[in-house]
Amino acid sequence: MIGIIGAMEIEVMQLVKAMADTSQEKISGITYFLGRLNSSAVVIAKCGVGKVNAAVCAQTMILKYAPEMMINIGVAGSLSPAVSIGEIVLGDYAVQYDFDTSALGDPVGLTPEVNLVKMPCADNVLQLLQKAAARLMQIKCHVGTVATGDQFLNAPDLKKKLASDFSAIACEMEGASICQVCLLNGVPFGLVRAISDNADDDSDVDFNTFMRMAAAQSTALLLALMEELN
């Protein structure tokens, strides 16, 4: 079984509508949709925005449904001039940029228990996602570090800092927390982000303008992944 998590309804409901043999179960306020995409068994959930919601959803999904791999999909802001609105970022690493115990001598972003700043996504899942992306000839795809924090980013100075400090190319609000949960549980993890804005002064306007288009891009990639698996 493949676990799929998105923060917002727009990020997951097209996948849910494409499922067959669907059932659902609600746990801790989160609805989990079980069924099949093509011939692959999947469980899909809308976790809600932010790191805590994402972690609660991921841990529940692992304990309840035992997915063989987990993929977090959704939209993100670009941190790189090379990554444009409408393109896709596949995470090879994820970092919690707002986790800060530097006053104790730790590097900013060091995540306890896993004891890493840049947490790795699973190579085998990344390779599958890259193969799926190759099916979508019209969508440009990038691989790089994704920065996660509990903030909708529209601050050019912080954008530059995240790109400089972590070599991150995209920012969002859930991915690294799900990555941490998956590392602690030994579940292979993949991170997919479609770019909806540039994390700058215009990001709120761009997000509302391009969110649906970006969400459709990540949905298309997941459907291509199901074809790749089959």
Side-chain angles (χ1 to χ4, degrees):
M1 176 176 283
I2 300 170
I4 301 169
I5 297 175
M8 300 181 294
E9 184 171 314
I10 194 173
E11 295 171 332
V12 298
M13 290 313 294
Q14 289 304 310
L15 289 174
V16 171
K17 289 177 182 178
M19 291 168 66
D21 304 322
T22 308
S23 62
Q24 62 186 67
E25 184 175 9
K26 196 168 190 175
I27 306 171
S28 301
I30 298 172
T31 301
Y32 297 83
F33 296 90
L34 291 91
R36 307 191 76 80
L37 282 173
N38 286 353
S39 62
S40 296
V42 297
V43 54
I44 301 176
K46 183 204 80 168
C47 65
V49 175
K51 293 193 297 181
V52 172
N53 286 327
V56 168
C57 180
Q59 186 63 58
T60 300
M61 185 178 282
I62 289 169
L63 293 176
K64 179 69 177 181
Y65 305 109
E68 298 169 6
M69 73 171 74
M70 188 174 293
I71 299 172
N72 177 215
I73 67 170
V75 299
S78 171
L79 298 177
S80 168
V83 180
S84 300
I85 291 173
E87 297 177 349
I88 286 178
V89 169
L90 303 178
D92 55 0
Y93 291 92
V95 58
Q96 295 190 61
Y97 68 81
D98 57 353
F99 200 103
D100 187 353
T101 54
S102 59
L104 302 175
D106 299 325
V108 174
L110 183 70
T111 300
E113 306 308 321
V114 297
N115 201 35
L116 295 168
V117 173
K118 296 178 72 169
M119 296 178 284
C121 302
D123 286 339
N124 61 328
V125 181
L126 177 58
Q127 290 170 12
L128 286 171
L129 290 168
Q130 288 178 293
K131 289 180 181 178
R135 292 173 174 265
L136 305 175
M137 302 295 292
Q138 75 278 17
I139 303 176
K140 188 173 181 181
C141 188
H142 307 264
V143 176
T145 297
V146 176
T148 301
D150 279 322
Q151 176 181 355
F152 180 82
L153 202 64
N154 62 344
D157 289 344
L158 180 54
K159 171 181 176 175
K160 292 177 183 178
K161 184 173 176 57
L162 297 183
S164 174
D165 291 355
F166 303 110
S167 300
I169 63 172
C171 60
E172 40 83 285
M173 300 179 67
E174 295 83 27
S177 61
I178 299 176
C179 185
Q180 179 183 354
V181 170
C182 287
L183 286 173
L184 292 172
N185 286 274
V187 177
F189 172 71
L191 181 54
V192 176
R193 283 294 183 272
I195 300 301
S196 61
D197 60 86
N198 288 310
D200 56 15
D201 291 330
D202 297 320
S203 63
D204 54 338
V205 176
D206 289 343
F207 176 78
N208 288 316
T209 302
F210 299 112
M211 167 177 64
R212 292 184 181 278
M213 177 272 293
Q217 304 286 54
S218 62
T219 297
L221 179 58
L222 263 290
L223 292 174
L225 174 64
M226 298 304 146
E227 295 177 7
E228 186 68 32
L229 291 173
N230 293 326

